[in-house]
Amino acid sequence: MDLDREEVETGPEVFRDEDGKPRPLFVESVTEAVASGDAAATYALVGSLHEADLGALLELLDHDARHQLIALMGADFDFTALTEVGETTREDILEDLPVETLAEAVRDLESDDAVAILETLEPDEQAEVLDALPAHERVLLSRSLNYPEDSAGRLMQTSLIAVPPFWTAGQVLDFFRETDPDLLPDNFFEVFVVDSGYRFLGTVFLDALVRARPDRRVDQIMQEDRRRLNDMDDRAEAARMFERYNLVSVPVVDEAERLVGVIMIDDIVDVMQEAASEEIKALGGVNPEEELSDNFWMTARSRFWWLLVNLATAFLASSVLRLFENQIEKMVALAVLAPIVASQGGNSATQTMTVIVRALATQELSRTNAVRVIFREAAAGAVNGAAFGLITGVVASNWFQNVGIAPVMALAMLTNLLAGAFGGVLIPLTLERFKVDPAVSASAFVTTVTDVIGYGAFLSIATIWFHLS
Amino acid sequence: MDLDREEVETGPEVFRDEDGKPRPLFVESVTEAVASGDAAATYALVGSLHEADLGALLELLDHDARHQLIALMGADFDFTALTEVGETTREDILEDLPVETLAEAVRDLESDDAVAILETLEPDEQAEVLDALPAHERVLLSRSLNYPEDSAGRLMQTSLIAVPPFWTAGQVLDFFRETDPDLLPDNFFEVFVVDSGYRFLGTVFLDALVRARPDRRVDQIMQEDRRRLNDMDDRAEAARMFERYNLVSVPVVDEAERLVGVIMIDDIVDVMQEAASEEIKALGGVNPEEELSDNFWMTARSRFWWLLVNLATAFLASSVLRLFENQIEKMVALAVLAPIVASQGGNSATQTMTVIVRALATQELSRTNAVRVIFREAAAGAVNGAAFGLITGVVASNWFQNVGIAPVMALAMLTNLLAGAFGGVLIPLTLERFKVDPAVSASAFVTTVTDVIGYGAFLSIATIWFHLS
């Protein structure tokens, strides 16, 4: 956890413009100061930046400038900034840093930030850095790193305050004043109550503590909140819990119900943003791991595979067109109009699919209301299918001066928008059922359906209507 | 603010299954209890539900069941649940409730929740409810409602604790114990320090307060944090500030720097989720206001307009095809292959556009790095254009047993993927520059580019290569 409570004198005013975007001039000044090896100028520009802005700045610099900046800043460089950059940038920065620098950085960070940096390192380098740490910290960090990557245990912060149930509110307040501040977490909102086996009993929020009479026992004012996370829970689940129940922090327990850490809302905000980015990228056919700082080669490679899948579906759709080569030869208008039917169906189905994928992600959609939503989509598809059948029928028959095109177009459009509606609902629901992420896979299937049915329906109906076979 | 601190005995265990999804059986039981007018059974099922789950349950019930449930629960109905449902459902519930019930509900809620309900009401009904409130609350709520809908002022909570700078930590702690709990906010994390003109001076977090010696003045332990919001700031801006700087709460000041309220992270989490949902929907061509509880007619209407725009672009693309009618008549293979070029270009451009739109939303992309990203996308487009030119050239020439198709296909594919890369970057950047939301508008432009250039390039090159003109 790294809640911002520092005074930032000049940071955002200078680095970011009034819209919150980085100023090109500022970035240029830093680049110059760093290139000329001017430590004083670099410090003047960068020294007071908030870690988030320092991270954003590092993203904008090239490899050499990043390393020169870190070297020039020396002990004043705030390694928390590395938790604010993308994976590619973090790797780029970490791979060339000496182990001593890394060990020193990791020692100064809160446990969750230290873990974020350690997990980026290669296994052998990670071991070296851990070896260079004091035993106590090594044990704590190793334990965190043993948790699976996306688990609550990996995300949680292990520094927290736990007290026995028989302490009074006054005793807890005295404890705060008398304890070495270095032994308390940097920021905290609550005190956890645990029994002698360190099993989680409840939570006393600070506002409840300061409102309580000093002689009240903590187990009288604590909330025995049953919402807690297991250390092996997925962090996506953690995010959903925070979001759904408006939580600021959740205790994490192990399988024996022992308190092992706490997850704070600010860590979860990052998880939520990441989840949103991943969903958006997945729907756009982009690998969720792709980052803006990737180079063109990584970018091209990561996009290739999805395009290859799409190419296969495009050939499949075109092989439907090819079945009707004879008809197209006789009536070229069909080749001109068929893509309109396919495209309109594809877009309508994409609308449906987007809504369904999003509702599945937020758990608004489940078995309880699936049937209602399927019917709604089918009905909406029928309405718009009829509307666009009418519109395209009229426009296309005028365009080609051929009245017969109107009913063919209308019927094909209705068919395809209906098919798209069913495909747009049923494909994501089916994928979800088989535990395949619908955001990633649904669109390829859905557009295949509307391409194949769009071409197939339009050309079959035309074949019959115009006696083309 | 409505942080969850209640003990929930049976709620999630019964309402939701282990994946967090609503249990159909539970919903059925509620429907039955409500239909038979069994208040005791309804209370047993619903009484201990968390407001978020109660909201989710209300979403799943139909109009009659919702109203019967509220009537059966009487004074035990937790109106906070209405802040957890979509706009359509909230309107559906509120439009039929008597003014007295509404006034009573609003009186019991925290200010931001009360505002969320009041803003859903029709103006005349809103006035009636406000009239039925005590003067003090009426004034406070009217003031909030006077703020623009998406402003920080509308979102903030007005109940907070402010103390003068000369108070000591001990005095503040005494103040908490001696004040009527009803006059303090339900939950709070910090105390604000204001001068005699109620101008914001700084913040003392509770953990700093309890760690301080009792005789320390609050202005010695406060953070003069410069991050604050203006009451007229947009809430999207507020969300970005919370997210970027890992904040838990931000004071809101008016234009005279007077403290007027506080925004808490849990309110912002909702704003963030909403923003993510809106971006996802916009990219999928769906009106951001569409909700899962809308009926088929509302759904069809809201999707119609985007489909109409798409239809226009489809006709535009097809008119390019029509320019080559003669060539298609001579060589039907062209009609079969042209859609593959267009589709592959469209998908590649969509990948690019998705990345750009997302990076603009998170402000990762700005003038500072735009040129680098444009070059990266162009280079990635060239690489994949060459790769898919090769693949499709080989496949298509074999498919049609015509060697000449290979170079035509390859060159058209390369051209279209390059065009798509430029379109995918430049169109969102241009829209953003003209303050048009690229998530909403970019895709229609981008696919028009790749359809028109895909058809145009492929058929022109084919015309020349095969001497078809």
Side-chain angles (χ1 to χ4, degrees):
Chain A
M1 181 174 75
D2 26 65
L3 298 178
D4 167 52
R5 300 195 181 173
E6 309 141 40
E7 164 74 351
V8 180
E9 263 303 323
T10 50
E13 287 73 21
V14 172
F15 174 53
R16 293 187 184 274
D17 62 21
E18 54 292 344
D19 290 337
K21 292 179 187 153
R23 284 182 207 279
L25 262 180
F26 181 89
V27 180
E28 252 170 62
S29 313
V30 173
T31 313
E32 275 167 33
V34 159
S36 61
D38 186 341
T42 306
Y43 185 83
L45 284 163
V46 170
S48 60
L49 279 188
H50 184 277
E51 63 213 36
D53 289 334
L54 182 54
L57 174 67
L58 287 170
E59 291 270 15
L60 297 172
L61 300 178
D62 62 20
H63 176 87
D64 292 344
R66 286 170 184 162
H67 280 89
Q68 279 158 335
L69 186 147
I70 293 172
L72 287 170
M73 292 292 289
D76 290 320
F77 180 77
D78 180 1
F79 276 88
T80 327
L82 296 194
T83 64
E84 304 277 345
V85 301
E87 187 76 12
T88 314
T89 308
R90 188 155 56 237
E91 277 169 16
D92 175 73
I93 292 172
L94 290 176
E95 68 185 1
D96 282 355
L97 283 183
V99 169
E100 309 80 65
T101 312
L102 286 173
E104 212 167 302
V106 162
R107 196 156 46 220
D108 290 343
L109 294 173
E110 296 256 332
S111 60
D112 53 347
D113 294 334
V115 167
I117 290 187
L118 284 169
E119 68 188 3
T120 310
L121 299 174
E122 300 294 321
D124 52 328
E125 217 177 0
Q126 190 186 89
E128 274 185 75
V129 173
L130 283 172
D131 280 344
L133 291 176
H136 172 71
E137 289 185 44
R138 184 169 57 236
V139 171
L140 268 183
L141 291 175
S142 305
R143 198 182 299 156
S144 290
L145 287 166
N146 282 337
Y147 284 114
E149 200 178 332
D150 285 330
S151 65
R154 184 71 83 86
L155 188 66
M156 74 190 180
Q157 177 184 344
T158 50
S159 153
L160 51 79
I161 299 169
V163 300
F166 50 81
W167 276 30
T168 63
Q171 272 179 298
V172 177
L173 289 174
D174 289 343
F175 169 79
F176 290 145
R177 290 198 199 99
E178 288 156 13
T179 306
D180 175 1
D182 282 349
L183 297 179
L184 295 175
D186 282 0
N187 322 108
F188 57 94
F189 303 111
E190 78 271 91
V191 172
F192 297 102
V193 184
V194 292
D195 69 11
S196 55
Y198 224 77
R199 274 185 296 271
F200 173 73
L201 298 176
T203 304
V204 181
F205 283 87
L206 288 185
D207 63 336
L209 190 73
V210 298
R211 279 191 252 209
R213 283 212 336 263
D215 59 346
R216 293 266 281 172
R217 279 169 57 127
V218 292
D219 57 1
Q220 293 176 299
I221 53 172
M222 74 183 182
Q223 290 154 29
E224 299 162 73
D225 193 342
R226 297 163 58 97
R227 284 205 183 86
R228 65 198 72 173
L229 286 160
N230 192 282
D231 50 5
M232 299 302 283
D233 284 344
D234 193 84
R235 56 189 210 161
E237 200 174 314
R240 205 143 47 208
M241 187 190 277
F242 271 89
E243 189 207 324
R244 180 171 290 150
Y245 299 114
N246 301 316
L247 308 166
V248 275
S249 69
V250 173
V252 182
V253 298
D254 65 14
E255 73 288 353
E257 286 290 305
R258 275 187 306 257
L259 182 67
V260 289
V262 55
I263 294 183
M264 303 296 308
I265 177 91
D266 64 310
D267 299 312
I268 282 292
V269 163
D270 294 342
V271 174
M272 287 194 248
Q273 286 302 108
E274 223 176 275
S277 282
E278 286 182 9
E279 193 178 334
I280 289 169
K281 285 182 185 168
L283 282 166
V286 178
N287 185 332
E289 319 237 300
E290 188 185 308
E291 283 175 29
L292 204 64
S293 53
D294 291 352
N295 64 33
F296 79 94
W297 184 247
M298 295 156 76
T299 308
R301 264 197 326 193
S302 93
R303 295 193 191 156
F304 177 86
W305 297 106
W306 195 83
L307 289 175
L308 191 65
V309 171
N310 172 70
L311 184 66
T313 73
F315 268 103
L316 181 65
S318 281
S319 61
V320 175
L321 275 180
R322 200 180 176 186
L323 292 177
F324 296 89
E325 266 182 338
N326 291 335
Q327 290 86 332
I328 292 172
E329 221 158 15
K330 292 181 197 153
M331 191 172 172
V332 179
L334 300 183
V336 175
L337 293 173
I340 296 177
V341 178
S343 151
Q344 197 71 350
N347 280 287
S348 175
T350 299
Q351 290 180 323
T352 299
M353 181 198 75
T354 302
V355 169
I356 300 303
V357 166
R358 186 64 189 152
L360 285 171
T362 59
Q363 295 193 334
E364 274 179 279
L365 179 59
S366 62
R367 268 188 305 150
T368 321
N369 52 353
V371 173
R372 194 190 76 79
V373 172
I374 293 169
F375 275 108
R376 180 191 81 159
E377 291 299 329
V383 169
N384 277 333
F388 286 106
L390 199 69
I391 296 172
T392 52
V394 171
V395 173
S397 58
N398 273 293
W399 197 22
F400 285 94
Q401 294 294 318
N402 180 336
V403 183
I405 283 178
V408 174
M409 196 80 181
L411 201 54
M413 196 61 100
L414 176 62
T415 307
N416 204 26
L417 263 68
L418 262 177
F422 280 111
V425 185
L426 296 178
I427 289 169
L429 281 175
T430 308
L431 289 170
E432 163 96 354
R433 207 182 168 90
F434 288 102
K435 310 264 177 214
V436 180
D437 183 359
V440 175
S441 323
S443 76
F445 288 105
V446 167
T447 51
T448 306
V449 167
T450 52
D451 277 354
V452 167
I453 294 193
Y455 292 147
F458 178 68
L459 293 169
S460 312
I461 297 170
T463 303
I464 296 168
W465 187 272
F466 296 113
H467 309 289
L468 294 174
S469 57
Chain B
M1 179 174 73
D2 25 65
L3 298 179
D4 167 53
R5 301 196 182 173
E6 308 143 37
E7 164 72 350
V8 180
E9 264 304 324
T10 50
E13 287 73 20
V14 172
F15 175 52
R16 293 188 184 275
D17 62 22
E18 55 292 343
D19 291 335
K21 291 180 188 153
R23 284 182 208 277
L25 262 180
F26 182 88
V27 180
E28 251 171 62
S29 313
V30 173
T31 313
E32 275 167 32
V34 158
S36 61
D38 186 340
T42 307
Y43 185 84
L45 283 163
V46 169
S48 60
L49 278 188
H50 184 277
E51 63 213 36
D53 290 333
L54 182 54
L57 173 66
L58 286 170
E59 291 271 15
L60 296 172
L61 299 178
D62 64 19
H63 176 88
D64 291 343
R66 287 169 184 163
H67 280 89
Q68 278 159 335
L69 186 148
I70 295 172
L72 286 170
M73 291 293 287
D76 289 320
F77 181 77
D78 180 2
F79 275 89
T80 326
L82 296 195
T83 64
E84 305 276 346
V85 300
E87 187 76 12
T88 314
T89 307
R90 187 154 57 236
E91 277 169 17
D92 175 72
I93 292 172
L94 289 176
E95 68 185 1
D96 282 354
L97 283 183
V99 170
E100 309 81 64
T101 312
L102 286 173
E104 210 167 303
V106 162
R107 199 156 45 222
D108 290 342
L109 294 173
E110 296 257 332
S111 60
D112 53 347
D113 294 334
V115 166
I117 289 187
L118 283 168
E119 66 187 6
T120 309
L121 299 174
E122 300 293 320
D124 54 326
E125 216 177 0
Q126 189 184 92
E128 272 185 77
V129 173
L130 282 172
D131 280 345
L133 291 177
H136 172 72
E137 288 186 43
R138 183 166 60 235
V139 171
L140 268 183
L141 291 175
S142 305
R143 199 184 297 157
S144 290
L145 287 166
N146 282 337
Y147 284 114
E149 200 179 331
D150 285 331
S151 65
R154 184 71 82 87
L155 187 66
M156 73 191 180
Q157 174 184 346
T158 50
S159 154
L160 51 80
I161 299 169
V163 300
F166 50 81
W167 276 29
T168 64
Q171 273 178 298
V172 177
L173 288 174
D174 289 342
F175 170 79
F176 290 145
R177 290 197 200 101
E178 288 155 14
T179 306
D180 174 2
D182 283 350
L183 296 178
L184 296 176
D186 282 0
N187 322 107
F188 57 95
F189 304 110
E190 78 270 270
V191 173
F192 297 102
V193 184
V194 293
D195 69 9
S196 55
Y198 224 76
R199 274 184 296 271
F200 173 72
L201 297 177
T203 305
V204 182
F205 284 87
L206 288 185
D207 63 336
L209 191 73
V210 298
R211 276 190 255 209
R213 286 213 331 264
D215 60 345
R216 292 265 283 170
R217 280 170 54 128
V218 291
D219 57 1
Q220 294 177 299
I221 53 172
M222 74 183 182
Q223 290 153 30
E224 300 162 73
D225 193 341
R226 295 163 58 99
R227 284 205 183 87
R228 64 198 72 172
L229 286 160
N230 191 284
D231 50 4
M232 299 301 283
D233 285 344
D234 193 84
R235 56 189 211 161
E237 200 174 313
R240 203 141 50 206
M241 186 189 277
F242 270 87
E243 189 207 326
R244 180 172 290 150
Y245 299 115
N246 300 317
L247 307 167
V248 275
S249 69
V250 174
V252 183
V253 298
D254 65 13
E255 73 288 353
E257 287 288 305
R258 276 187 305 256
L259 182 67
V260 289
V262 56
I263 295 183
M264 303 296 308
I265 178 86
D266 63 310
D267 299 312
I268 282 293
V269 163
D270 293 341
V271 174
M272 285 186 219
Q273 286 301 109
E274 222 175 276
S277 282
E278 286 182 7
E279 194 178 332
I280 289 168
K281 286 182 184 168
L283 282 167
V286 178
N287 186 333
E289 320 237 300
E290 188 185 309
E291 285 174 27
L292 205 65
S293 54
D294 291 351
N295 63 33
F296 78 95
W297 184 247
M298 294 158 77
T299 307
R301 264 197 326 191
S302 93
R303 296 193 191 157
F304 177 86
W305 298 106
W306 196 83
L307 289 176
L308 191 65
V309 171
N310 172 71
L311 183 65
T313 73
F315 267 104
L316 181 66
S318 281
S319 61
V320 174
L321 275 181
R322 200 182 177 184
L323 291 178
F324 295 90
E325 267 182 338
N326 290 334
Q327 289 87 332
I328 292 172
E329 222 158 15
K330 291 180 199 154
M331 191 171 172
V332 179
L334 300 183
V336 175
L337 293 172
I340 295 176
V341 178
S343 151
Q344 197 72 350
N347 281 288
S348 173
T350 299
Q351 290 180 323
T352 300
M353 183 198 75
T354 302
V355 170
I356 301 302
V357 166
R358 187 61 189 156
L360 285 171
T362 58
Q363 295 194 334
E364 273 179 279
L365 178 60
S366 63
R367 269 188 305 149
T368 321
N369 52 353
V371 172
R372 192 189 78 78
V373 172
I374 293 170
F375 276 107
R376 180 191 80 160
E377 290 299 329
V383 169
N384 277 334
F388 286 107
L390 198 69
I391 295 171
T392 52
V394 171
V395 174
S397 58
N398 274 293
W399 196 21
F400 285 94
Q401 294 293 317
N402 180 337
V403 183
I405 282 176
V408 174
M409 196 78 181
L411 200 55
M413 196 61 101
L414 176 61
T415 308
N416 204 25
L417 262 68
L418 262 177
F422 280 111
V425 184
L426 297 177
I427 289 169
L429 282 175
T430 308
L431 290 170
E432 164 95 353
R433 208 182 167 89
F434 289 103
K435 311 263 175 213
V436 180
D437 182 358
V440 175
S441 322
S443 75
F445 287 105
V446 168
T447 51
T448 305
V449 167
T450 52
D451 277 354
V452 167
I453 295 193
Y455 292 148
F458 177 68
L459 294 169
S460 311
I461 298 170
T463 303
I464 297 168
W465 186 271
F466 296 113
H467 309 290
L468 294 174
S469 58

